Coordinates of all heavy atoms in Angstrom, one line a residue:
I1 N 2.1 2.8 -3.5 CA 3.3 2.7 -4.2 C 3.9 4.1 -4.6 O 4.8 4.2 -5.4 CB 3.1 1.9 -5.5 CG1 2.1 2.5 -6.4 CG2 2.8 0.4 -5.1 CD1 2.1 1.9 -7.8
S2 N 3.3 5.2 -4.0 CA 3.8 6.5 -4.4 C 5.2 6.7 -4.0 O 5.9 7.5 -4.7 CB 2.9 7.6 -3.7 OG 3.1 7.5 -2.3
M3 N 5.7 6.1 -3.0 CA 7.1 6.3 -2.6 C 8.1 5.5 -3.6 O 9.2 6.0 -3.8 CB 7.4 5.8 -1.2 CG 8.8 6.2 -0.7 SD 9.0 6.2 1.1 CE 9.0 4.4 1.4
L4 N 7.6 4.4 -4.1 CA 8.4 3.6 -5.0 C 8.3 4.0 -6.4 O 9.2 4.0 -7.2 CB 8.1 2.1 -4.8 CG 8.2 1.6 -3.4 CD1 7.7 0.2 -3.4 CD2 9.6 1.6 -3.0
N5 N 7.1 4.4 -6.8 CA 6.8 4.8 -8.2 C 6.6 6.3 -8.3 O 5.4 6.7 -8.2 CB 5.6 4.0 -8.7 CG 5.3 4.3 -10.2 OD1 6.1 4.9 -10.8 ND2 4.2 3.8 -10.6
T6 N 7.6 7.0 -8.4 CA 7.5 8.5 -8.4 C 6.8 9.0 -9.6 O 6.2 10.1 -9.6 CB 8.9 9.1 -8.3 OG1 9.7 8.7 -9.4 CG2 9.5 8.8 -7.0
S7 N 6.9 8.3 -10.7 CA 6.3 8.8 -11.9 C 4.8 8.6 -12.0 O 4.0 9.5 -12.4 CB 6.9 8.2 -13.2 OG 6.7 6.8 -13.2
G8 N 4.3 7.5 -11.6 CA 2.8 7.2 -11.8 C 1.9 8.1 -11.0 O 1.1 8.9 -11.5
F9 N 1.9 8.0 -9.7 CA 0.9 8.7 -8.8 C 1.0 10.2 -9.0 O 0.1 10.9 -9.1 CB 1.1 8.3 -7.4 CG 0.2 9.0 -6.5 CD1 -1.1 8.5 -6.3 CD2 0.5 10.1 -5.8 CE1 -2.0 9.2 -5.5 CE2 -0.3 10.8 -5.0 CZ -1.6 10.3 -4.8
W10 N 2.3 10.7 -8.9 CA 2.5 12.1 -8.8 C 2.1 12.8 -10.1 O 1.6 13.9 -10.2 CB 3.9 12.5 -8.3 CG 4.1 11.9 -7.0 CD1 4.8 10.8 -6.7 CD2 3.6 12.4 -5.7 NE1 4.8 10.5 -5.3 CE2 4.0 11.5 -4.7 CE3 2.8 13.5 -5.4 CZ2 3.7 11.7 -3.4 CZ3 2.5 13.7 -4.0 CH2 3.0 12.8 -3.1
H11 N 2.4 12.1 -11.2 CA 2.1 12.7 -12.6 C 0.6 12.7 -12.8 O 0.0 13.6 -13.3 CB 2.8 12.0 -13.7 CG 4.2 12.4 -13.8 ND1 4.7 13.6 -14.2 CD2 5.4 11.7 -13.5 CE1 6.0 13.6 -14.2 NE2 6.4 12.5 -13.8
E12 N -0.1 11.6 -12.3 CA -1.5 11.6 -12.4 C -2.2 12.7 -11.6 O -3.1 13.3 -12.0 CB -2.1 10.2 -12.0 CG -3.6 10.1 -12.1 CD -4.2 8.8 -11.7 OE1 -3.4 8.0 -11.2 OE2 -5.4 8.7 -11.8
A13 N -1.7 12.9 -10.4 CA -2.2 14.0 -9.5 C -2.0 15.3 -10.2 O -2.9 16.2 -10.2 CB -1.5 13.9 -8.2
K14 N -0.8 15.5 -10.8 CA -0.6 16.8 -11.5 C -1.5 17.0 -12.7 O -2.0 18.1 -12.9 CB 0.9 16.9 -11.9 CG 1.3 18.1 -12.6 CD 2.7 18.1 -13.1 CE 3.1 19.3 -13.9 NZ 4.4 19.2 -14.5
D15 N -1.7 15.9 -13.4 CA -2.5 16.0 -14.6 C -4.0 16.3 -14.2 O -4.7 17.1 -14.9 CB -2.4 14.8 -15.5 CG -1.1 14.6 -16.1 OD1 -0.4 15.6 -16.2 OD2 -0.7 13.5 -16.5
L16 N -4.5 15.6 -13.2 CA -5.8 15.8 -12.8 C -6.0 17.2 -12.2 O -7.1 17.8 -12.4 CB -6.2 14.7 -11.7 CG -6.5 13.3 -12.3 CD1 -6.7 12.3 -11.1 CD2 -7.6 13.3 -13.2
N17 N -5.0 17.7 -11.5 CA -5.2 19.0 -10.9 C -5.1 20.1 -11.9 O -5.6 21.2 -11.7 CB -4.1 19.2 -9.8 CG -4.5 20.4 -8.9 OD1 -5.6 20.6 -8.5 ND2 -3.5 21.2 -8.6
S18 N -4.5 19.8 -13.0 CA -4.4 20.9 -14.1 C -5.8 21.2 -14.6 O -6.1 22.4 -15.0 CB -3.5 20.5 -15.2 OG -4.0 19.3 -15.9
S19 N -6.7 20.2 -14.6 CA -8.1 20.5 -15.0 C -9.0 21.0 -13.9 O -9.9 21.7 -14.1 CB -8.7 19.3 -15.7 OG -8.8 18.2 -14.7
R20 N -8.6 20.6 -12.6 CA -9.5 21.0 -11.5 C -9.0 22.3 -10.9 O -9.8 23.0 -10.3 CB -9.4 19.9 -10.4 CG -9.8 18.6 -10.8 CD -11.3 18.5 -10.9 NE -11.7 17.1 -11.2 CZ -12.8 16.9 -11.9 NH1 -13.5 17.8 -12.4 NH2 -13.0 15.6 -12.2
N21 N -7.7 22.6 -10.9 CA -7.1 23.8 -10.3 C -7.5 24.0 -8.8 O -7.9 25.1 -8.4 CB -7.5 25.1 -11.1 CG -6.9 25.1 -12.5 OD1 -5.8 24.6 -12.6 ND2 -7.6 25.7 -13.4
D22 N -7.3 22.9 -8.1 CA -7.6 23.0 -6.6 C -6.4 23.5 -5.9 O -5.3 23.0 -6.1 CB -8.0 21.6 -6.1 CG -8.4 21.6 -4.7 OD1 -9.4 22.2 -4.4 OD2 -7.6 21.0 -3.8
A23 N -6.5 24.5 -5.1 CA -5.4 25.2 -4.4 C -4.7 24.3 -3.4 O -3.5 24.3 -3.3 CB -5.9 26.4 -3.7
L24 N -5.5 23.4 -2.7 CA -4.9 22.6 -1.7 C -4.1 21.5 -2.3 O -3.0 21.2 -1.9 CB -6.1 21.9 -0.9 CG -5.6 21.1 0.4 CD1 -4.8 22.0 1.3 CD2 -6.8 20.5 1.1
I25 N -4.5 20.9 -3.4 CA -3.8 19.9 -4.1 C -2.5 20.5 -4.7 O -1.4 19.9 -4.7 CB -4.6 19.2 -5.2 CG1 -5.7 18.4 -4.5 CG2 -3.7 18.3 -6.1 CD1 -6.7 17.7 -5.5
A26 N -2.6 21.7 -5.3 CA -1.5 22.4 -5.8 C -0.4 22.7 -4.7 O 0.8 22.5 -5.0 CB -1.9 23.8 -6.4
K27 N -0.9 23.0 -3.5 CA 0.0 23.2 -2.4 C 0.7 21.9 -2.0 O 2.0 21.9 -1.8 CB -0.8 23.7 -1.2 CG 0.1 23.8 0.1 CD -0.8 24.3 1.3 CE -0.1 24.1 2.5 NZ -0.9 24.4 3.7
Y28 N 0.0 20.8 -2.0 CA 0.6 19.5 -1.7 C 1.6 19.1 -2.8 O 2.7 18.5 -2.5 CB -0.4 18.4 -1.6 CG -1.3 18.5 -0.4 CD1 -2.6 18.0 -0.4 CD2 -0.9 19.1 0.8 CE1 -3.5 18.1 0.7 CE2 -1.7 19.2 1.9 CZ -3.0 18.7 1.9 OH -3.8 18.8 2.9
L29 N 1.3 19.3 -4.0 CA 2.2 19.0 -5.1 C 3.5 19.9 -5.0 O 4.6 19.5 -5.3 CB 1.5 19.1 -6.5 CG 0.5 18.1 -6.8 CD1 -0.3 18.4 -8.0 CD2 1.1 16.7 -6.9
W30 N 3.3 21.2 -4.6 CA 4.4 22.1 -4.5 C 5.3 21.6 -3.4 O 6.6 21.6 -3.5 CB 3.9 23.5 -4.2 CG 5.0 24.4 -4.0 CD1 5.7 25.1 -5.0 CD2 5.6 24.8 -2.8 NE1 6.7 25.9 -4.4 CE2 6.6 25.8 -3.1 CE3 5.4 24.5 -1.4 CZ2 7.4 26.3 -2.1 CZ3 6.2 25.1 -0.5 CH2 7.2 26.0 -0.8
I31 N 4.8 21.1 -2.3 CA 5.6 20.5 -1.2 C 6.4 19.4 -1.7 O 7.6 19.3 -1.4 CB 4.7 20.1 0.0 CG1 4.1 21.4 0.7 CG2 5.5 19.3 1.0 CD1 3.0 21.1 1.7
Y32 N 5.8 18.5 -2.4 CA 6.6 17.3 -2.9 C 7.6 17.7 -3.9 O 8.8 17.2 -3.9 CB 5.6 16.3 -3.6 CG 6.3 15.0 -4.0 CD1 6.7 14.1 -3.0 CD2 6.5 14.7 -5.3 CE1 7.3 12.9 -3.3 CE2 7.1 13.5 -5.6 CZ 7.5 12.6 -4.6 OH 8.2 11.5 -5.0
K33 N 7.3 18.7 -4.8 CA 8.3 19.2 -5.7 C 9.5 19.9 -5.0 O 10.6 19.8 -5.4 CB 7.6 20.1 -6.7 CG 8.5 20.6 -7.8 CD 7.7 21.5 -8.8 CE 8.6 22.0 -9.9 NZ 7.8 22.8 -10.8
S34 N 9.1 20.6 -3.9 CA 10.2 21.3 -3.2 C 11.1 20.3 -2.5 O 12.3 20.6 -2.4 CB 9.5 22.1 -2.1 OG 8.7 23.1 -2.6
W35 N 10.6 19.1 -2.1 CA 11.5 18.1 -1.5 C 12.5 17.7 -2.6 O 13.7 17.6 -2.3 CB 10.7 16.9 -1.1 CG 11.5 15.8 -0.5 CD1 12.0 15.7 0.8 CD2 12.2 14.8 -1.2 NE1 12.8 14.7 0.9 CE2 13.0 14.1 -0.3 CE3 12.2 14.4 -2.6 CZ2 13.7 12.9 -0.7 CZ3 12.9 13.3 -2.9 CH2 13.7 12.6 -2.0
W36 N 12.1 17.5 -3.8 CA 13.0 17.0 -4.9 C 14.0 18.1 -5.2 O 15.2 17.8 -5.4 CB 12.2 16.7 -6.1 CG 11.7 15.3 -6.1 CD1 10.5 14.8 -5.9 CD2 12.5 14.1 -6.2 NE1 10.4 13.4 -5.9 CE2 11.7 13.0 -6.1 CE3 13.9 13.8 -6.4 CZ2 12.2 11.7 -6.1 CZ3 14.4 12.5 -6.4 CH2 13.5 11.5 -6.3
V37 N 13.6 19.4 -5.2 CA 14.5 20.5 -5.4 C 15.6 20.5 -4.3 O 16.8 20.6 -4.6 CB 13.8 21.8 -5.6 CG1 14.8 23.0 -5.5 CG2 12.9 21.8 -6.8
L38 N 15.2 20.4 -3.1 CA 16.1 20.4 -2.0 C 17.1 19.2 -2.0 O 18.3 19.3 -1.7 CB 15.4 20.4 -0.6 CG 14.7 21.7 -0.3 CD1 13.8 21.5 1.0 CD2 15.7 22.8 -0.1
F39 N 16.5 18.1 -2.4 CA 17.4 16.9 -2.6 C 18.4 17.0 -3.7 O 19.6 16.7 -3.5 CB 16.5 15.7 -2.8 CG 17.3 14.4 -2.9 CD1 17.7 13.8 -1.7 CD2 17.6 13.8 -4.1 CE1 18.4 12.6 -1.8 CE2 18.3 12.6 -4.2 CZ 18.7 12.0 -3.0
I40 N 18.0 17.5 -4.8 CA 18.9 17.7 -5.9 C 20.0 18.8 -5.6 O 21.2 18.6 -5.9 CB 18.2 18.1 -7.2 CG1 17.4 16.8 -7.7 CG2 19.1 18.6 -8.3 CD1 16.4 17.1 -8.8
V41 N 19.6 19.9 -5.0 CA 20.5 20.9 -4.6 C 21.5 20.4 -3.6 O 22.7 20.6 -3.6 CB 19.8 22.2 -4.0 CG1 20.7 23.1 -3.2 CG2 19.0 22.9 -5.1
G42 N 21.0 19.5 -2.6 CA 21.9 18.9 -1.7 C 22.9 18.0 -2.3 O 24.1 17.9 -2.0
M43 N 22.5 17.2 -3.3 CA 23.4 16.3 -4.0 C 24.5 17.1 -4.8 O 25.6 16.7 -4.8 CB 22.6 15.4 -4.9 CG 21.8 14.4 -4.1 SD 22.7 13.5 -2.9 CE 22.9 12.0 -3.7

């Protein structure tokens, strides 16, 4: 449901990664955040 529920999965991943500090997960979260920035800039 990650595509439909943007708040649940992605916020949990961000919160869990804040305690783990995994570089690969941080990269994946950055990619997803970049998509939103590009979408908002485009709009």
Side-chain angles (χ1 to χ4, degrees):
I1 62 168
S2 64
M3 190 163 71
L4 302 173
N5 183 6
T6 57
S7 61
F9 178 84
W10 300 101
H11 284 290
E12 182 183 1
K14 181 182 172 189
D15 292 341
L16 288 173
N17 195 44
S18 66
S19 62
R20 302 282 184 213
N21 290 327
D22 185 64
L24 188 59
I25 294 173
K27 177 183 168 186
Y28 292 153
L29 291 172
W30 180 84
I31 290 170
Y32 188 71
K33 185 177 182 180
S34 297
W35 179 88
W36 276 107
V37 169
L38 289 173
F39 183 76
I40 291 170
V41 166
M43 292 307 259

